[in-house]
Amino acid sequence: MACFTCPGQATVGMVERFGKFARAAHPGFNLLIPCCGERVAGTLSLRVQQLDVRCETKTRDNVFVTVIVSVQYQVVKDALYDAFYKLTDSKSQIRSYVFDVVRGTVPKIDLDDVFTTKEEIAYEVKDQLTKSMSTFGFMIIQTLVTDIEPDQRVRAAMNEINAASRMRVAAVEKAEAEKIAVVKAAEGDAESKYLQGQGIARQRQAIVNGLRESVLNFERDVNDISSRDVIEMMMITQYFDMLKDIGVAKGSSTVFMPHSPATVADVAGQIRSGFMQAQAGSAGLNPAHSPMNVGMQR
């Protein structure tokens, strides 16, 4: 029969004398008196312990879920007698209280709200365990709801709902992006055509100014020639330049058109007739150039 006991660190031995609790043997060397009926009835750990409890229950919308609760507890040093003698199995007692609280709280909450009220569930479990286990010499340090596991089919349905919702949002965002791209492209095209029109207008204005200066210079340097003759000669020159450009351009199509000096004269006559009609039309719109006003001025 042993005459001493040496409990480990953070461990306490419960010494009985003739079957009755006598004292607690703390870590280190402790002398026993076997002839007086002393013996070590058991030990208690003063370390923080953790118990994981899996509890299956039903939510308010009739969905079965498994709630995993982790309880961290410790023996109170001043209540070693209660912790050792009042409970036969402390873990079973804690597990029963967790079942009672979880199955009384979760059925009042919908499935979607269970995930957002984990802290409330953990607080209810801790509060109930603290009130109950304190009388047995145990201190509840922390209670955590570590996981919530719905049925596999329910989980798959929730993922599909989430995926469909995200796909709908993505489709809306994609359509909005395409709309913005089309609008910006249309605005860019309109701006491009506006600037292109301004460039063409300036180009034509520059051509007209150049032709005017050429005609004036030609009339000043050459005698016995009119402006009409100069314009016809320039039109013939441009006509041949146009034929040259058509011939050297890549991918140009075949163009069938009459080609003779008389054709150039006909073209010149048509342009000249158009100019005269435009001048007559503008004179008709301006009252100052009407035949009646001209006759009255004369």
Side-chain angles (χ1 to χ4, degrees), residues 260-281:
S260 65
T263 303
V264 179
D266 293 339
V267 174
Q270 294 176 7
I271 295 176
R272 185 166 51 252
S273 176
F275 284 159
M276 294 177 64
Q277 292 178 3
Q279 292 178 357

Side-chain angles (χ1 to χ4, degrees), residues 186-248:
E187 292 178 354
D189 185 62
E191 185 68 19
S192 174
K193 290 181 178 179
Y194 174 75
L195 296 176
Q196 184 178 6
Q198 286 187 337
I200 294 175
R202 292 176 181 177
Q203 179 185 11
R204 291 178 179 177
Q205 184 65 35
I207 293 173
V208 171
N209 294 336
L211 290 175
R212 183 186 301 111
E213 293 179 0
S214 298
V215 171
L216 294 176
N217 293 334
F218 199 90
E219 288 181 343
R220 186 174 61 251
D221 297 337
V222 180
N223 298 325
D224 299 333
I225 190 169
S226 62
S227 300
R228 179 182 301 176
D229 297 333
V230 175
I231 293 175
E232 289 182 356
M233 182 179 65
M234 295 179 65
M235 291 180 60
I236 292 174
T237 303
Q238 292 182 357
Y239 176 76
F240 283 109
D241 291 340
M242 179 268 295
L243 293 179
K244 177 182 176 181
D245 292 338
I246 292 177
V248 300

Side-chain angles (χ1 to χ4, degrees), residues 101-213:
V101 174
V102 171
R103 289 174 178 171
T105 304
V106 175
K108 302 176 183 178
I109 309 172
D110 291 332
L111 177 61
D112 293 337
D113 296 332
V114 171
F115 292 91
T116 58
T117 57
K118 291 170 54 178
E119 295 182 358
E120 287 78 359
I121 298 173
Y123 177 79
E124 290 291 337
V125 174
K126 181 180 179 181
D127 184 62
Q128 184 65 28
L129 284 176
T130 301
K131 294 178 181 179
S132 302
M133 299 301 294
S134 60
T135 58
F136 299 110
F138 287 91
M139 175 177 58
I140 306 300
I141 298 175
Q142 188 61 269
T143 303
L144 303 173
V145 177
T146 57
D147 197 6
I148 299 174
E149 299 177 355
D151 185 79
Q152 185 64 30
R153 291 173 297 179
V154 176
R155 188 182 306 177
M158 293 176 65
N159 291 334
E160 290 179 0
I161 293 173
N162 191 12
S165 177
R166 293 182 180 273
M167 290 178 63
R168 182 169 61 253
V169 174
V172 173
E173 294 295 335
K174 182 179 179 181
E176 187 67 22
E178 292 178 353
K179 173 186 174 182
I180 294 174
V182 171
V183 171
K184 292 299 181 182
E187 292 178 354
D189 185 62
E191 185 68 19
S192 174
K193 290 181 178 179
Y194 174 75
L195 296 176
Q196 184 178 6
Q198 286 187 337
I200 294 175
R202 292 176 181 177
Q203 179 185 11
R204 291 178 179 177
Q205 184 65 35
I207 293 173
V208 171
N209 294 336
L211 290 175
R212 183 186 301 111
E213 293 179 0

Side-chain angles (χ1 to χ4, degrees), residues 33-99:
I33 306 176
C35 60
C36 293
E38 289 186 350
R39 70 180 185 90
V40 178
T43 59
L44 284 175
S45 176
L46 300 180
R47 296 190 181 100
V48 177
Q49 303 179 62
Q50 178 169 314
L51 177 64
D52 294 329
V53 182
R54 297 176 62 91
C55 179
E56 185 178 5
T57 184
K58 183 179 69 171
T59 61
R60 186 167 62 180
D61 47 356
N62 297 324
V63 178
F64 282 91
V65 295
T66 300
V67 181
I68 301 176
V69 181
S70 297
V71 180
Q72 298 174 356
Y73 63 97
Q74 187 179 25
V75 175
V76 181
K77 292 182 180 181
D78 297 335
L80 297 177
Y81 179 87
D82 295 336
F84 188 80
Y85 288 101
K86 284 189 176 182
L87 283 180
T88 303
D89 188 353
S90 60
K91 293 184 178 181
S92 298
Q93 187 75 8
I94 293 175
R95 189 177 290 108
S96 299
Y97 280 116
V98 171
F99 285 162

Side-chain angles (χ1 to χ4, degrees), residues 4-7 12-16 25 32 37-43 84:
F4 63 90
T5 181
C6 297
V12 177
M14 306 302 291
V15 179
E16 295 179 349
L32 297 177
E38 289 186 350
R39 70 180 185 90
V40 178
T43 59
F84 188 80

